Each structure stands twice: as structure tokens, then as C-alpha cells.
Amino acid sequence: MYRIQIKDMDFEQIARSGQCFRMEPNEEEHGVWRIAASGRYVEAVKEDDVFLFSCGEKEFQDMWAGYFDLQTDYGGFKKRVDSEDSYLKEAMEWGWGVRILRQDLWEMLVTFLISQNNNITRITGSVKEICKRFGEKRIGLGLAVSSDGGWVERSKSYDAFPEPEDLSSAGLRGLAGLGLGYRDKYILSIAKACSGPEGREWLLRLKEADYTSAHSLLMEQYGIGRKVADCICLFGLHHVGAFPVDTHVRQILEVHYPQGFPLERYQEYAGILQQYMFYYKVNKIPRGKLGSI
DNA sequence: CTACAGGCTGGTG
DNA sequence: CACCAGCCTGTA
């Protein structure tokens, strides 16, 4: 286990920010989060700004510190936004624990192809089913309450995200019943594009490309348009200048930024601000609906 | 029943 | 270039 203090981070908020669909509460252990990414698995609990992870320090530093983007000071972004931009300030205050995870590129390609014209519940279900059906079953370390009330490590099974070859060999018939709808052919196409040595080389080129080149490389793929390409740039390549505009963000811009969002001012990190705004719009409790919840 | 999900493709004007 | 119907399917 590894204990560490981390500012500006909250699992609940990250999990609800629509960037990650493989972070979920452990139903058996209250307060424990299950996190699967890049073929690895960890569980964690949080108390204020102190986190306990089920892995050792080396595994944490080698894998999870990067995944949670700990080298980036998110508090700094909060200080740099326009002090007169009340909507953005509210959004960042509401989603104080949102960060941009450094997730696996291949996983993001599949995930955000699924996300188009779709809702978060269904996306999560599809991703989970894909891992269950095609991913390798593995044993990782989780957390459990010990007899003295503290935490102990306990082995836990999980499904790794499948490899491109696993999906390309499945074919359209194999991809049926996952709730993908018409997106199945897009998934199959990207799986083929990422398979084999040539596919891995293409992924590598994508990782080495700058934002503009990466975006146009992505747009060449079947089923990837402007918005999905921006999501993959932001969440799979960590080009935090990318600013995906979906229906929610478009509505935010229409209502709160009729003169246009100041993209020039925030060129270097607009995607991070987008994430706070998205989270705020999707998760804030609407006035008048308080009674019904 | 309709409307809507973190849109894209392919066809038309 | 802009515009837009159609698309899978679960949920409100």
C-alpha cells in the first residue's frame, strides 16, 4: 500500500467528468474506488487530500502518478483564469477535484468512438462489456477492511482492456450485443487500423505528432470527426490545448459566452477549462430539482 | 408516444 | 462550401 497527499483531486468528480469510463466505486467496500487502465489495476480510498493506494510506491510512481497527472499543478489553472469570468470560476470551484488523466491512446480511440451521440450510462456499459468479453482476465491488488479497522491488500480479479487484435478478429458479429449500435463498424475499423506492427507504428506516429497533426491523422479514420478527434487529443494524447465542443459545451458557449469563448487567452490549456465546464453543467444540481432527488 | 444522448457519414444544393 | 436526413438504442 502507498499513502500520499494529493491536492485538487477527487475520484467521484473525475469519474463523473466524462473522460474516463473505467473508474467505479467498489460495491463491496464502501469508499473504495476501482481503477483499471493500460492493462493495470489499482484500488484506492481517499480522506480529504490523503489517498491510500493498493499498490506499492514504485508501482505508484511508475504508473499511477503519471496517470493522475500529478506533475501538473491544477491549482495554478484556477488562479490564472479571468477573475471576472464568473461562470468559469463557479465551474472550477464546483469541480475542484477534476483533472485530465493520462489514459491509454488505444483505449481512448475505442471509448470516444463509442461516445458519439451517446450517453454516459450507455458508454460505461459498452466499455465494461467489451472488456468483459474480449479483455484478458487478470488478478490485481485491491483493498479490504482489516480486523483492526484499517486497510489491507487483497487480490482482486479484473478485466484488462482488449488489444486491437482481439476486437478486429471478433468481427461485426462478435461486436454485436454490446450496445454499440451503428458505432460497431467504427470500432472494427479502428481496431484493424491499430492491429499488427503497422497498427502499432501508426499509434506511435500519433503519439509523436503535435496537436494539429494528430488531429488531422485522427480525422482520416472512419467514424472520427472533429469532436471525437479533439477528445482523443485531449484524453489520449494529453494535448490540453484541444477544446472539444459537444452539445453540452455548445450550450454553455451559447448561454455564457455569446461573444465567443476566449480561446486565445487559454490556448495552452483550454481543454482543462472545458473539462471543468462540462463537469459543472452535467453534474450541478439544477435549481428546482433539489426536492426530487 | 417523442426527445435526446459528449456526432459522423454521405448525399444534396 | 453549407446544410441535413438518417443512424442504433436505452432512458426520461
Side-chain angles (χ1 to χ4, degrees), chain A residues 29 231 264:
Chain A
E29 296 285 356
C231 283
E264 317 75 46

Side-chain angles (χ1 to χ4, degrees), chain A residues 35-75:
Chain A
I35 301 150
S38 304
R40 312 231 200 169
Y41 179 81
V42 76
E43 287 190 0
V45 289
K46 163 188 195 307
E47 194 170 320
D48 297 326
D49 58 352
V50 178
F51 294 74
L52 182 68
F53 287 87
S54 63
C55 62
E57 177 171 4
K58 183 174 177 4
E59 160 87 357
F60 185 84
Q61 297 301 345
D62 289 349
M63 166 72 199
W64 300 106
Y67 179 77
F68 290 113
D69 198 25
L70 296 193
Q71 65 271 45
T72 303
D73 173 25
Y74 283 73

Side-chain angles (χ1 to χ4, degrees), chain A residues 164-230:
Chain A
E165 292 76 9
D166 300 326
L167 297 188
S168 53
S169 62
L172 277 184
R173 298 191 73 87
L175 293 176
L178 297 167
L180 298 175
Y182 64 88
R183 306 162 195 84
D184 55 359
K185 52 189 181 290
Y186 303 154
I187 308 296
L188 186 59
S189 172
I190 200 67
K192 286 178 178 167
C194 296
S195 287
E198 289 177 21
R200 293 305 188 282
E201 199 178 310
W202 182 74
L203 285 170
L204 206 60
R205 278 215 310 280
L206 209 45
K207 288 181 187 178
E208 287 165 353
D210 60 18
Y211 166 57
T212 312
S213 317
H215 194 270
S216 50
L217 273 174
L218 288 164
M219 290 273 290
E220 292 171 6
Q221 292 298 317
Y222 186 39
I224 299 185
R226 183 187 172 135
K227 186 269 175 181
V228 170
D230 267 326

Side-chain angles (χ1 to χ4, degrees), chain A residues 13 29 44 49 88 101 104 202 221 234 268:
Chain A
Q13 292 179 30
E29 296 285 356
D49 58 352
L88 201 42
L101 302 175
D104 179 76
W202 182 74
Q221 292 298 317
L234 180 56
E268 307 296 310

